[in-house]
Amino acid sequence: MKRLLITICGRAGSKGFKNKNLKVFCGKPLVYYTLSAAELFLQRMPQVQTDICLNTDSQLLADLVAAKYPEVVYLPRGAALGADTVPKMAVFQDSLARMEAKNGYTYDYLMDLDITSPLRTAGDVACAYRIKDRRQDLDLVFSGTEARRNPYFNMVAAKDDCVVKVIDSPFTARQQAPAIYDINASIYVFRRDFLANNTTGILWDGKIGLSLMKDTGILDIDSEEDFEMMEVIAQYLYAHDPDFAAVRENIRG
């Protein structure tokens, strides 16, 4: 049986959008959407031994999670990991080391689910896990969406007093250019040893695979405008897409 650690990580406060991890999204606490998707994933994958932990320096967030999801292990985050410049991989490594020490066993994978990406289905989570589990050559699988813009064709960069193509190419139609994807930071699935032994905090040190999500999954919450836009899209998805509706309906009352 494979062992999986799911991490949910959130700092207190936010420079871009104050207290974003504590927001109420479409009538429910934002973090509960991530917890609900994780719970639905576990129901689909009973053959995987899974633990869930919350790594945070916010007591308010810890209390919010404990109120409805008491099985989630609270890992108080130290001040050294609370700064803006700390790589998120360091928080993943901290979570992995502390949970392995607590439980006395080693995990095969660590999966991080970002709090600020509520538009995620149980199928999205399962897909990312299965890709990593099938591909033992991959150090990491992360989620993404098909890009709406392509740097080979219809993106530009400022240069001196004009703009130029990001990548110089002979393509005359977007369809001719290589496929491009947007990383959406919603789901990461790490091979345990790659994560534990990383010393740079850089994802690109490993061999990476991609798990595709619906293109609305590119959105995450970094501003008030993001939040408002996502609520509008979410209301439509909850009304018309059973997979998204299932996550909302599964949130514990």
Side-chain angles (χ1 to χ4, degrees):
M1 177 179 285
K2 297 290 178 63
R3 291 195 179 106
L4 171 68
L5 175 62
I6 294 178
T7 57
I8 299 170
C9 305
R11 290 192 301 112
S14 172
K15 287 185 177 179
F17 186 25
K18 187 175 180 181
N19 295 323
K20 64 182 180 181
N21 291 321
L22 298 174
K23 295 296 182 182
V24 173
F25 182 79
C26 293
K28 304 283 187 179
L30 181 64
V31 67
Y32 287 3
Y33 291 85
T34 293
L35 291 162
S36 175
E39 185 175 55
L40 290 172
F41 163 76
L42 297 185
Q43 293 172 12
R44 290 187 178 204
M45 308 289 284
Q47 72 276 22
V48 181
Q49 180 182 332
T50 305
D51 298 314
I52 305 177
C53 68
L54 171 71
N55 190 313
T56 184
D57 55 355
S58 169
Q59 188 61 52
L60 291 174
L61 181 60
D63 292 343
L64 190 64
V65 170
K68 297 295 181 182
Y69 296 86
E71 71 276 18
V72 174
V73 178
Y74 170 36
L75 300 178
R77 185 180 304 185
L81 292 178
D84 292 338
T85 56
V86 173
K88 199 168 183 182
M89 194 180 288
V91 180
F92 301 155
Q93 290 173 320
D94 175 68
S95 302
L96 178 68
R98 291 164 70 183
M99 288 295 288
E100 288 186 341
K102 175 182 182 297
N103 293 325
Y105 49 73
T106 299
Y107 294 96
D108 295 286
Y109 312 120
L110 179 144
M111 173 190 289
D112 183 70
L113 301 177
D114 196 277
I115 295 173
T116 61
S117 299
L119 297 184
R120 174 204 297 118
T121 69
D124 292 327
V125 182
C127 181
Y129 175 84
R130 288 182 178 124
I131 291 173
K132 177 64 206 83
D133 193 43
R134 288 197 305 264
R135 293 282 307 275
Q136 292 299 306
D137 61 312
L138 296 177
D139 296 306
L140 166 65
V141 170
F142 55 48
S143 57
T145 67
E146 293 185 1
R148 293 179 178 270
R149 293 289 182 267
N150 191 308
Y152 286 94
F153 182 64
N154 58 4
M155 295 180 71
V156 296
K159 183 178 182 181
D160 300 326
D161 62 346
C162 64
V163 294
V164 297
K165 286 198 295 185
V166 175
I167 300 176
D168 189 30
S169 70
F171 304 128
T172 58
R174 184 180 178 187
Q175 291 77 8
Q176 297 171 326
I180 300 294
Y181 303 95
D182 286 319
I183 303 168
N184 65 3
S186 180
I187 306 168
Y188 293 92
V189 188
F190 289 91
R191 180 172 63 85
R192 185 266 175 203
D193 288 349
F194 167 70
L195 176 62
N197 298 325
N198 180 277
T199 59
T200 66
I202 298 173
L203 300 176
W204 308 108
D205 290 343
K207 184 177 181 180
I208 301 172
L210 179 71
S211 181
L212 280 177
M213 293 173 58
K214 190 180 181 73
D215 63 356
T216 53
I218 189 58
L219 300 170
D220 62 5
I221 298 172
D222 279 326
S223 68
E224 188 73 41
E225 292 76 15
D226 291 340
F227 188 85
E228 292 171 356
M229 183 186 303
M230 286 185 71
E231 281 200 310
V232 172
I233 294 171
Q235 295 287 10
Y236 177 85
L237 291 173
Y238 297 146
H240 295 90
D241 190 312
D243 292 332
F244 286 94
V247 174
R248 178 172 167 76
E249 291 165 3
N250 184 62
I251 291 173
R252 298 179 188 176

